[in-house]
Amino acid sequence: MTITKRIATDVGGTFTDLVAIETGPEGMKITTAKSDTTPPNFEAGVLNVMAKGNIDPKDVDFMVHGTTVVINALTERKGVTVGLITTKGFRDTLEIARGNRPDFFNLHYEKPEPFVPRYLRAEVPGRMTYLGAERIPLDLSGVPDIVDNFRAEGVQAVAISLLHSYANTAHEEAVLAEIQRLWPDVSVVASHQITREWREYERSNTAVLSAYVQPVAARYLGNLDQSLREKGLPQSPYIMQSNCGVDSLAATSAVPITMVESGPASGFWGAAELGKLIDEPDILALDIGGTTAKCSLIEGGEVRIMTDYWIERSRKSAGYPIMVPVVDLVEIGNGGGSIAWVDDFDKLHVGPQSAGALPGPAAYGKGGTNATTTDANLWLGRINKDYFCGGAVDADMDSAGSALKAVGDKLGVSTDEAAQGIVRIANNNMVNALKLVSLNRGHDTRDFTLLAFGGGGAMHAVALGQELQVKKVVVPAAASVFSAWGMMMSDLRRDYFVTQLADLSEGSAMGIEAVFAKAEVEARATFKAEGVDPAKLTFLRYGKFRYQNQEHTTEVLLDGTVTDGALSKIADDFHGAYEREYTYRLDAPVEMVGIHLVARAEVGKLEMIPAPLGDADASEAIKGTRDVDYALEGKHLATIYDGEKLRAGMAFNGPAIIEDPGTTVVIHPNNTVSIDAYGNIHILLEGQS
Amino acid sequence: MSDPITLEIIQNSLQATSDEMFAAMRKTAMSSIIYEVLDMGTGITDAQGRIASSGAGIPAFIGVLDKSVQFILSKFGDDIKPNDVFITNDPWHGGVTHLNDLVLAMPVFADGAIIAWTANIAHNSDVGGMAPGSLSGDATEIFQEGLRLPAVKLIREGVTDQAVMDIITCNSRMPDFLLGDVWAAIAAVRIGARRLEDLSVKYTPTTFKAAMDSFMDFGEKTALAELAKLPKGTFELSEPQDDGCTYNVKVTITDDEFIVDLRDNPTQDKGCTNTSRDGTIVCAQMLFKSVTDPETPANEGAFRPLKVLTTEGTVFHAQEPAAIGFYFETEVRVYDLIWRCLAPHVPERLPVGHFSSICGTFVGGTHPDTGRQYTIIEPQIGGWGAWEGRDGNPCIFSGFHGETYNTPAEISEARNGLFIDKMELNTAPGGEGEFNGGRGLVLEYRIRTKNGFLTAGYTRSVVKPWPLDGGEEGSGNFIEVDKAAGEREHYAFVSGLDLTTDDVVRVITSSGAGFGDPKKRAHDAVALDIKNGFITPERAREIHGYGE
């Protein structure tokens, strides 16, 4: 049996991470490494981290790469100048947007600026109807002038978005061909290449943002591929996507916008895969990093993928829509570095401002004077002050103490109470985010396992789990590099969303089946062109349904071919799913609004190898004891365990703390802990068995 | 256990619950005015009906729900039971706005006593009355505007009163929509009530109540702190209106009071441009909140320093049975009146005038592809006023609407069976200044079948958005109808106009007003305006002195 070597590299804002896993007759060997991110030549950082981890590209059988290049180019406005071609009468769609004022009492609200100014938004005559019929023929006679003007204005990428192109792509295809003919070397994208769903503002903005980042991302991926191949990497890396799958480097270079939320997606996919591995298919996944916490719900081992994704959207701003498949997640500004502050009216808040890497929490001793969640966790003994950041940083407890005291003074409470307050507020913010993806959608949290990862996940997980009364809490092995592990578990995956209205009544099945069949043919052709064995390709079919006259849809998983005989079961499934989410059902006609087809193929996914379960006695992993303040449950003497010495089969009870170089697991009194065959930590809450 | 952290956690949970009710209702409603336009609101009051928290949506609806709950409390007294759900829509029975807006409210109990209410309000597509969509500019009595629901029980201890439900649906031209929307509203108050019950069990009803009280006291404290920073004195304004009337306001600001005196105003309208006193109070509350503290969530405490004086029998305090269908235009006028009165005195807190009309537009007929009836009920977006240092926003909803969305052309064409020929910025002259007002909208509906109708009511058509410091006024709101036969008609108020195939209804909304002398506008800014096609070189020379 040969050794297979898989690696995942992840380029973040500060660090580039590497995880390598070798599987072979000896079992599994996991290596991690970290080095600085190297803008603007990011590929250098990737090669550096591989060298640091002693990885020779020649030996790598399968490589996945994740990057924040797209989201960074968008938020830092570092894309290229884009020209937009749209339907006559709709030049201003991008600027009109949806007209909403989320910050409604603020009369000085500032509407987000469009990414393309008016003088670079051009129109072509021609109209399709919503049924996909041509109403007014396309007139391309103005396109040469448009192209000349775009060139003169320094346009580097062109986006095309025409009305009703989701229903009929012919006009967009014709404009696309004309641009390619007149200006062969320009980067160009038409909206239908990214999405086949309706809503012209959302689709146009998606095409524009994709064009905006395309040259930047293509250059990045091209350089990365070339550097790695020159060093002997046998096949191009796969690129992590926002839909929890990976895609080929070539396909991603053409439409890079699909990478926009790839960072969180890999962690949530890891959560789904880990759930299957440990027989817990229903998971509440929580990822707590330095500045934010993100959560997502996984049901039956499946993540939920949606196309209602916005950047820079908040209670203060309308943001910008990107209509691509993105894992359904809620993100809040609450991480380890989130700053605690007291407002003018003596109310305590935590986040969304973060102390970042510099100066970082006060305890970093780098001049930070603001108390952060990490400082509070240190002060309460939850984090070991003598093993801060895995021993890499000397905790500056004086700075942490005075920062916390300042918060306490403003509130009129002791430093201890201030630290407890910060942890409780942070926990409450996270509980509310977890409720948004669970209770608010009709899911009972008692049926779910809370899986916590990221640097800070394990510190708060038990408190959150107790509040939500989850089934149990699981902290994965190597929780701090869990996202990279998730990448290695990903399939080559594409999500096809197509808007297609159809009544759910006798005789309509054939039309619905045809939409799925057409999308499947398209998917097969695309996968085949990339050399994927057709036998490996599998599909999941979802229909998007609603009661007639409603707008928002509920997604229902369909089983096999859509026939007239199957319609009543589909309707029943819809009524059931609707009632669970909204508490009632109606005796009204049901209609389909569109399809969501998932096409995926395994391309080198990691197979985990269980270790034999050993003795339950965990005493050899004990480092000592210390007082830990559990906030609501008060102070307790906790046993401290060395996470690196925990072995499959070990078991013990709380109060306890598990310390690992990357994370700290806080085990509350009355919790029971066991280590499974993959090194994951299972925590049962009080009264559970 | 009522330490400050616990109170804070309960308050955060109230906000989360209001938001959850809002999301649930949005996703399940049947009428596009609810799910797309989001002409709706959700909220939580305490046991006495004081507003404690509200969801996203429309600022003009936040101050409504407390008044509804207070009316229900006074009408039903001890006859309020767990799992009851009440419904009202009548402004003289706690409904505040107009008959289309159905308010649902549900008491939340703990240990046999009411601890809170969950409530919501939404514009329903048709509640009967003399005209499709229930709104008619021709109405002279409320009886012509639909079915009046004088705060009644829709659900008694968990059991739906089918008689009430049947009466409501039977009176609507669109019973399926109405039923779907009412169930969406019921689901929302129930979801909210369940969350509040959980909260009070977890933290005890006493702590739960203490959290609400402290949150409201916090609101008052914030408002008073900001009030202290405002200039003191009495400020007055008389403003002519499109219909020839003059509206008057006096605002007196003291250290602890903000008094809006609207007593000297015209006798109530014989038609439907009237509002209830409660509606007038809501307008004053909105402007007061924006001037004092737009940041923190609105609750009863935040409004405590506000006093509103009105005279019964005037347009701002209409007597039963006045018609009130177009109450929103009367309300947006009084809201803008207070705004304009104060703007010269607190220019750092208030931009200059915006298009300032709901521009309520109602188009109906038969869908040519499905044969089903359609009704568009839409407020429009328009230009906002500039302020020192910044141009106004183009095309957003008026100060009345907030987290409200316009309808995409692709969806409108599919749902309503008409064509949208264009939806673009209005580049008509107007709103120039050192800082320009934002651009309004040009939206064209091309009708595809016979037997269609148009009803609309726009103000700021004659008396246009107001500038400051030498800026230009906005361009004005109106409607043009290009008849298929060839002639062009011009309207601000129109009721039940017949439309037929190939008629084009053109909605034109105003730019916001400008701030400061247009001659002072930066050269580069004018050059970009010209390049973007927002102004012609000739107009730029004339108004900005560009190129001279």
Side-chain angles (χ1 to χ4, degrees):
Chain A
M1 195 173 159
T2 54
I3 291 173
T4 307
K5 187 175 276 186
R6 294 178 178 79
I7 69 166
T9 53
D10 190 6
V11 177
T14 317
F15 297 113
T16 298
D17 290 334
L18 168 86
V19 176
I21 300 186
E22 284 174 52
T23 45
E26 308 291 304
M28 294 176 49
K29 185 179 156 222
I30 302 181
T31 314
T32 62
K34 200 182 252 311
S35 74
D36 290 337
T37 293
T38 53
N41 303 312
F42 297 94
E43 66 278 6
V46 175
L47 293 174
N48 290 346
V49 81
M50 286 170 74
K52 215 167 161 182
N54 290 318
I55 304 288
D56 185 340
K58 284 200 272 300
D59 304 336
V60 174
D61 297 286
F62 176 80
M63 175 173 177
V64 193
H65 182 70
T67 170
T68 51
V69 63
V70 165
I71 190 77
N72 290 349
L74 290 172
T75 56
E76 295 166 14
R77 301 294 189 271
K78 286 188 176 155
V80 301
T81 305
V82 178
L84 170 67
I85 298 178
T86 185
T87 300
K88 185 167 184 285
F90 292 85
R91 178 186 188 185
D92 294 322
T93 296
L94 209 60
E95 187 159 351
I96 291 170
R98 302 297 302 277
N100 54 319
R101 300 190 305 118
D103 193 14
F104 50 65
F105 283 121
N106 174 15
L107 303 180
H108 289 106
Y109 172 73
E110 299 189 16
K111 184 176 181 174
E113 291 276 332
F115 273 72
V116 181
R118 195 168 200 253
Y119 67 87
L120 294 179
R121 305 195 298 255
E123 297 181 342
V124 287
R127 284 291 286 266
M128 293 289 180
T129 70
Y130 71 95
L131 297 169
E134 183 179 81
R135 189 182 133 223
I136 301 172
L138 182 68
D139 177 359
L140 291 172
S141 61
V143 176
D145 283 349
I146 292 171
V147 167
D148 287 346
N149 182 48
F150 282 180
R151 281 182 199 261
E153 292 290 353
V155 165
Q156 295 158 277
V158 176
I160 301 162
S161 182
L162 304 182
L163 224 55
H164 297 302
S165 65
Y166 62 89
N168 185 335
T169 59
H171 285 179
E172 277 195 358
E173 286 173 30
V175 177
L176 182 65
E178 181 70 352
I179 297 289
Q180 285 166 337
R181 185 181 73 81
L182 292 167
W183 194 0
D185 51 342
V186 77
S187 165
V188 54
V189 66
S191 75
H192 75 267
Q193 295 175 296
I194 311 171
T195 172
R196 295 286 303 276
E197 291 190 280
W198 62 7
R199 290 172 194 274
E200 68 274 10
Y201 166 61
E202 284 78 354
R203 208 174 57 251
S204 299
N205 196 69
T206 303
V208 162
L209 295 194
S210 190
Y212 181 73
V213 298
Q214 201 277 333
V216 178
R219 196 180 315 126
Y220 169 98
L221 293 174
N223 290 345
L224 176 74
D225 193 35
Q226 197 188 342
S227 311
L228 290 167
R229 299 300 287 265
E230 279 169 5
K231 298 263 179 195
L233 186 75
Q235 64 163 3
S236 295
Y238 285 94
I239 308 300
M240 189 67 209
Q241 305 291 312
S242 316
N243 67 347
C244 291
V246 295
D247 206 341
S248 68
L249 188 132
T252 310
S253 299
V255 183
I257 196 75
T258 52
M259 284 192 284
V260 66
E261 273 284 9
S262 57
S266 53
F268 293 132
W269 184 253
E273 285 290 331
L274 182 60
K276 287 177 211 162
L277 199 62
I278 61 173
D279 206 19
E280 295 289 351
D282 298 324
I283 297 269
L284 257 176
L286 173 70
D287 176 1
I288 305 179
T291 53
T292 67
K294 309 175 193 84
C295 51
S296 186
L297 181 131
I298 293 148
E299 193 184 17
E302 289 298 333
V303 290
R304 181 163 155 164
I305 304 297
M306 314 225 298
T307 54
D308 183 24
Y309 174 75
W310 299 65
I311 57 166
E312 299 175 21
R313 185 192 214 186
S314 69
R315 276 182 175 268
K316 298 287 174 193
S317 179
Y320 302 89
I322 301 178
M323 214 179 218
V324 295
V326 173
V327 59
D328 182 22
L329 63 92
V330 168
E331 178 166 14
I332 57 167
N334 238 270
S338 293
I339 292 171
W341 53 287
V342 179
D343 68 20
D344 294 346
F345 303 95
D346 305 334
K347 294 169 82 72
L348 175 64
H349 305 267
V350 179
Q353 291 303 319
S354 164
L358 256 182
Y364 276 14
K366 291 184 189 166
T369 53
N370 290 310
T372 64
T373 309
T374 296
D375 294 309
N377 275 317
L378 261 173
W379 189 259
L380 298 175
R382 297 151 64 89
I383 299 178
N384 185 351
K385 62 180 166 29
D386 301 320
Y387 190 61
F388 191 33
C389 302
V393 177
D394 271 338
D396 183 344
M397 293 308 287
D398 290 345
S399 296
S402 59
L404 290 163
K405 182 172 182 301
V407 171
D409 286 350
K410 280 190 202 155
L411 290 171
V413 301
S414 72
T415 304
D416 282 4
E417 285 168 322
Q420 289 166 1
I422 290 167
V423 170
R424 289 182 62 201
I425 295 280
N427 282 345
N428 183 247
N429 291 343
M430 289 186 264
V431 161
N432 281 333
L434 285 163
K435 282 182 180 171
L436 281 177
V437 298
S438 56
L439 286 170
N440 287 15
R441 293 184 183 144
H443 297 283
D444 188 335
T445 49
R446 287 172 295 193
D447 300 333
F448 287 78
T449 294
L450 179 65
L451 186 78
F453 53 97
M459 207 129 42
H460 298 269
V462 170
L464 306 177
Q466 287 177 339
E467 170 90 21
L468 294 166
Q469 300 178 43
V470 295
K471 206 172 149 193
K472 70 158 109 162
V473 175
V474 173
V475 177
S480 60
V481 291
F482 189 65
S483 292
W485 180 79
M487 284 189 206
M488 275 184 264
M489 300 300 287
S490 295
D491 293 327
L492 185 61
R493 166 176 178 144
R494 298 203 176 97
D495 288 67
Y496 297 81
F497 288 83
V498 183
T499 295
Q500 175 79 43
L501 292 169
D503 286 339
L504 208 57
S505 57
E506 189 77 25
S508 65
M510 219 157 66
I512 296 173
E513 176 60 28
V515 185
F516 279 112
K518 195 174 163 216
E520 287 177 1
V521 167
E522 192 187 328
R524 279 204 185 86
T526 317
F527 278 70
K528 192 177 167 211
E530 287 171 359
V532 176
D533 178 2
K536 283 187 170 175
L537 188 56
T538 58
F539 294 108
L540 280 179
R541 290 172 159 203
Y542 295 91
K544 298 174 80 165
F545 300 96
R546 66 186 183 193
Y547 289 116
Q548 198 175 77
N549 302 321
Q550 284 184 323
E551 175 56 30
H552 292 274
T553 56
T554 299
E555 226 174 60
V556 176
L557 183 63
L558 307 184
D559 192 11
T561 310
V562 182
T563 59
D564 278 339
L567 292 183
S568 69
K569 177 174 186 301
I570 293 172
D572 284 349
D573 288 350
F574 164 74
H575 286 300
Y578 185 92
E579 184 171 10
R580 187 184 64 195
E581 188 153 354
Y582 302 113
T583 74
Y584 68 99
R585 60 171 75 199
L586 288 174
D587 181 21
V590 177
E591 64 182 355
M592 189 181 88
V593 180
I595 67 153
H596 171 195
L597 177 73
V598 182
R600 55 189 177 190
E602 202 185 277
V603 285
K605 185 169 167 176
L606 175 66
E607 192 81 30
M608 294 292 286
I609 302 168
L613 291 186
D615 192 43
D617 179 14
S619 53
E620 67 185 71
I622 293 177
K623 286 168 84 174
T625 58
R626 71 167 178 267
D627 275 335
V628 171
D629 188 329
Y630 287 90
L632 282 176
E633 294 148 277
K635 268 191 190 169
H636 293 268
L637 185 66
T639 310
I640 313 302
Y641 291 85
D642 181 344
E644 294 185 300
K645 291 187 179 157
L646 290 174
R647 296 286 172 265
M650 287 183 178
F652 53 91
N653 296 326
I657 298 282
I658 300 171
E659 293 177 359
D660 199 84
T663 192
T664 299
V665 189
V666 176
I667 316 285
H668 288 233
N670 306 315
N671 292 166
T672 52
V673 178
S674 61
I675 310 299
D676 73 15
Y678 304 96
N680 304 302
I681 302 163
H682 294 239
I683 305 163
L684 289 177
L685 310 176
E686 187 174 8
Q688 292 180 328
S689 57
Chain B
M1 207 178 73
S2 51
D3 63 289
I5 304 300
T6 300
L7 299 184
E8 180 76 28
I9 287 169
I10 293 172
Q11 289 155 9
N12 289 349
S13 303
L14 292 179
Q15 185 63 54
T17 302
S18 294
D19 288 345
E20 183 182 355
M21 288 196 285
F22 187 86
M25 202 160 156
R26 169 186 192 176
K27 286 191 187 158
T28 55
M30 290 254 170
S31 298
S32 61
I33 184 150
I34 301 178
Y35 62 68
E36 192 83 45
V37 178
L38 298 180
D39 199 346
M40 59 179 256
T42 59
I44 295 165
T45 76
D46 70 1
Q48 294 88 49
R50 299 181 302 169
I51 192 83
S53 168
S54 52
I58 294 189
F61 279 167
I62 286 176
V64 171
L65 299 173
D66 53 340
K67 297 167 184 70
S68 307
V69 171
Q70 285 163 22
F71 184 87
I72 292 165
L73 281 164
S74 68
K75 175 168 170 176
F76 287 87
D78 292 340
D79 186 23
I80 298 171
K81 301 284 178 358
N83 296 312
D84 280 350
V85 176
F86 297 82
I87 186 166
T88 180
N89 70 342
D90 185 82
W92 292 284
H93 295 89
V96 180
T97 57
H98 61 174
L99 298 180
N100 287 85
D101 292 337
L102 301 184
V103 177
L104 274 83
M106 181 170 181
V108 184
F109 282 78
D111 303 338
I114 299 176
I115 52 159
W117 290 76
T118 55
N120 58 55
I121 176 170
H123 185 117
N124 279 250
S125 296
D126 190 296
V127 291
M130 69 191 280
S134 310
L135 289 169
S136 169
D138 299 333
T140 54
E141 288 183 317
I142 194 166
F143 307 109
Q144 297 162 324
E145 297 180 324
L147 180 72
R148 297 175 71 186
L149 294 160
V152 296
K153 284 190 189 186
L154 179 63
I155 296 179
R156 295 167 185 275
E157 299 185 61
V159 181
T160 308
D161 189 328
Q162 200 55 42
V164 175
M165 198 67 104
D166 287 353
I167 291 168
I168 297 172
T169 46
C170 185
N171 273 277
S172 173
R173 291 174 186 80
M174 304 171 80
D176 298 343
F177 283 79
L178 192 127
L179 196 62
D181 291 340
V182 167
W183 272 107
I186 293 169
V189 289
R190 283 180 165 170
I191 286 169
R194 198 185 309 152
R195 295 286 178 266
L196 298 189
E197 281 162 13
D198 291 348
L199 265 183
S200 99
V201 166
K202 176 157 188 195
Y203 293 105
T204 77
T206 313
T207 306
F208 179 79
K209 186 177 170 307
M212 285 197 172
D213 288 346
S214 108
F215 199 26
M216 291 185 207
D217 290 343
F218 161 71
E220 182 180 24
K221 207 163 130 184
T222 314
L224 285 172
E226 287 300 314
L227 201 55
K229 299 178 194 164
L230 297 182
K232 305 298 178 298
T234 296
F235 310 99
E236 296 186 41
L237 178 74
S238 293
E239 185 189 62
Q241 302 299 314
D242 284 5
D243 62 4
C245 296
T246 298
Y247 291 165
N248 304 302
V249 66
K250 265 191 234 174
V251 180
T252 301
I253 302 175
T254 70
D255 287 336
D256 50 11
E257 280 194 323
F258 186 102
I259 303 160
V260 177
D261 183 349
L262 292 159
R263 287 174 296 186
D264 176 23
N265 272 297
T267 307
Q268 70 190 50
D269 184 43
K270 290 192 173 58
C272 61
T273 43
N274 292 301
T275 175
S276 65
R277 175 177 153 77
D278 281 345
T280 299
I281 293 171
V282 169
C283 298
Q285 286 178 338
M286 283 166 56
L287 208 276
F288 175 73
K289 181 75 181 148
S290 288
V291 168
T292 51
D293 172 36
E295 292 285 319
T296 61
N299 62 42
E300 185 271 342
F303 301 131
R304 276 178 204 157
L306 176 69
K307 304 273 177 300
V308 179
L309 308 174
T310 55
T311 307
E312 195 169 5
T314 61
V315 285
F316 300 139
H317 186 162
Q319 277 174 320
E320 200 173 353
I324 36 72
F326 280 82
Y327 83 98
F328 45 84
E329 281 306 310
T330 311
E331 282 198 3
V332 77
R333 289 279 55 77
V334 68
Y335 168 75
D336 200 27
L337 186 75
I338 305 167
W339 180 344
R340 185 176 185 177
C341 175
L342 290 177
H345 310 289
V346 285
E348 73 286 358
R349 289 172 187 252
L350 294 171
V352 299
H354 70 309
F355 74 111
S356 186
S357 169
I358 307 308
C359 294
T361 311
F362 311 83
V363 179
T366 309
H367 191 302
D369 303 328
T370 66
R372 296 204 289 259
Q373 198 67 22
Y374 75 89
T375 315
I376 297 175
I377 308 167
E378 280 175 359
Q380 303 293 346
I381 50 183
W384 273 56
W387 63 87
E388 171 105 64
R390 195 180 186 279
D391 291 344
N393 290 305
C395 279
I396 55 175
F397 280 95
S398 77
F400 246 53
H401 286 91
E403 187 61 348
T404 305
Y405 290 72
N406 71 347
T407 304
E410 289 176 344
I411 287 186
S412 193
E413 290 195 351
R415 183 192 299 136
N416 302 317
L418 37 67
F419 294 130
I420 310 284
D421 281 358
K422 65 167 65 165
M423 180 154 64
E424 61 188 25
L425 297 176
N426 175 11
T427 56
E432 298 88 353
E434 182 180 357
F435 302 99
N436 285 344
R439 293 284 155 188
L441 178 74
V442 178
L443 167 63
E444 290 183 358
Y445 299 109
R446 179 176 295 274
I447 306 302
R448 290 177 56 199
T449 48
K450 285 183 267 189
N451 306 324
F453 73 89
L454 166 70
T455 292
Y458 295 10
T459 57
R460 284 279 183 254
S461 196
V462 179
V463 179
K464 296 176 178 169
W466 47 272
L468 276 179
D469 277 19
E472 295 287 317
E473 62 182 23
S475 56
N477 305 305
F478 55 98
I479 282 193
E480 287 175 351
V481 180
D482 288 356
K483 301 297 289 181
E487 65 273 33
R488 173 171 293 183
E489 297 164 358
H490 184 104
Y491 298 101
F493 268 78
V494 58
S495 259
L497 181 78
D498 288 335
L499 296 174
T500 189
T501 310
D502 271 330
D503 284 353
V504 173
V505 175
R506 184 176 302 110
V507 170
I508 298 174
T509 68
S510 181
S511 60
F515 183 95
D517 182 357
K519 297 270 193 288
K520 290 192 195 156
R521 185 165 176 81
H523 186 274
D524 292 353
V526 181
L528 190 58
D529 294 342
I530 295 171
K531 189 172 186 177
N532 275 324
F534 286 131
I535 191 169
T536 61
E538 298 73 40
R539 171 93 177 158
R541 184 175 307 119
E542 176 197 334
I543 203 106
H544 293 299
Y546 181 79
E548 283 176 358

